Amino acid sequence: GSTHQLRVALQALLEVHGFQIFSCPLFNADPHPGNILALPDGRVGLIDMGQCSSFDPAIKIHFARLLSLLLEPCSPEVDVRVAETMLNMGVRTEKTDREFLAFL
């Protein structure tokens, strides 16, 4: 396939997963290449919805904030905000190291 077709397919994947996360009660919590089909007519097929999850409204807000932070240019200030957002989402590591959370 062409680069354009790949871009269209990736955009569709982002949109459907975003729709699931922010608008549906459950979302596919196991999106990986083995669960994605490139159909002959150019459509994208999703299979194996065996691992679904949900976010409560507060986590959805933090997740949206995290996604928008990832679009910002890298800086120490953004790293701090990423780490704080991940902590607010309940993400923890063995030592809950803020630098490591920002690196994730």
Side-chain angles (χ1 to χ4, degrees):
S2 71
T3 301
H4 174 73
Q5 289 171 319
L6 180 60
R7 286 180 191 265
V8 169
L10 290 173
Q11 184 67 37
L13 283 172
L14 288 172
E15 287 176 8
V16 75
H17 285 292
F19 179 79
Q20 287 179 7
I21 290 169
F22 293 108
S23 301
C24 298
L26 297 172
F27 62 88
N28 181 352
D30 188 28
H32 61 78
N35 289 344
I36 301 167
L37 302 175
L39 301 174
D41 65 0
R43 291 179 303 145
V44 176
L46 300 177
I47 61 171
D48 189 6
M49 301 292 279
Q51 290 188 25
C52 291
S53 190
S54 63
F55 284 154
D56 67 47
I59 295 297
K60 286 182 183 184
I61 291 168
H62 292 305
F63 190 64
R65 188 171 295 134
L66 178 63
L67 292 176
S68 68
L69 284 168
L70 295 176
L71 295 173
E72 294 190 23
C74 293
S75 72
E77 294 81 21
V78 170
D79 287 350
V80 166
R81 292 169 55 203
V82 166
E84 287 173 357
T85 302
M86 291 182 76
L87 287 170
N88 289 335
M89 290 178 67
V91 176
R92 299 290 183 265
T93 64
E94 188 174 308
K95 297 179 184 177
T96 310
D97 181 320
R98 288 177 180 266
E99 283 184 41
F100 183 73
L101 286 175
F103 174 75
L104 291 175

